[in-house]
Amino acid sequence: MSDVKISGLEEAPAENEGRIVQFNHPFTDYPYTLALYQSGGRYYVITDSCKMCGSSLGRGTLKGMYAACSMEGHPWHIKTGLCKFDRTQSQPTYRVQVRDDGLYIEI
C-alpha cells in the first residue's frame, strides 16, 4: 500500500458536495475512478461506480452521509460504504489524510 495524492486543497469539493477523481496508481498503473466528498468538515472517498446500477456516485447527490448515484438514486454511506437499503451490498471506501499540499488516500 502507498499514499497517493488525489487532490490539491484548492481542488477539493466544497461542503456537502462531491467530485470525481481519476488516476492511475503510481506503482501498479491500475486505473481508479473514485468519488471525493466533503461532509461535516471532513473528506470521504468511495468507489465511484454504483454496485446496483453502475452509474456514478460522484455525479449524484449527497444527502447527509449518503451519496445517491446519478441514475437510480441508490444511497451509499460515504464512510462505511454500505448501501442504505441493502446492507449486504458495500462499496470500497478509503480514509483521507489532509496534508499541507493536498488530500491523500492509502491505496
Side-chain angles (χ1 to χ4, degrees), residues 33-98:
T33 303
L34 306 174
L36 169 65
Y37 295 97
Q38 184 180 168
S39 179
R42 298 190 65 194
Y43 294 99
Y44 300 91
V45 172
I46 188 168
T47 301
D48 183 55
S49 180
C50 174
K51 278 192 174 179
M52 304 294 255
C53 67
S55 66
S56 173
L57 293 176
R59 288 190 179 101
T61 58
L62 183 65
K63 296 176 184 175
M65 291 295 285
Y66 286 92
C69 70
S70 60
M71 187 182 301
E72 296 182 6
H74 298 288
W76 298 90
H77 196 278
I78 58 175
K79 183 176 180 180
T80 65
L82 294 174
C83 181
K84 184 174 186 175
F85 301 119
D86 183 357
R87 291 178 137 336
T88 64
Q89 298 292 321
S90 66
Q91 299 265 110
T93 59
Y94 304 90
R95 196 184 73 181
V96 180
Q97 298 174 19
V98 179

Side-chain angles (χ1 to χ4, degrees), residues 4-9 12 36 43 96-98 101-105:
V4 176
K5 184 176 179 180
I6 58 167
S7 176
L9 293 175
L36 169 65
Y43 294 99
V96 180
Q97 298 174 19
V98 179
D101 63 334
L103 304 175
Y104 289 77
I105 61 171

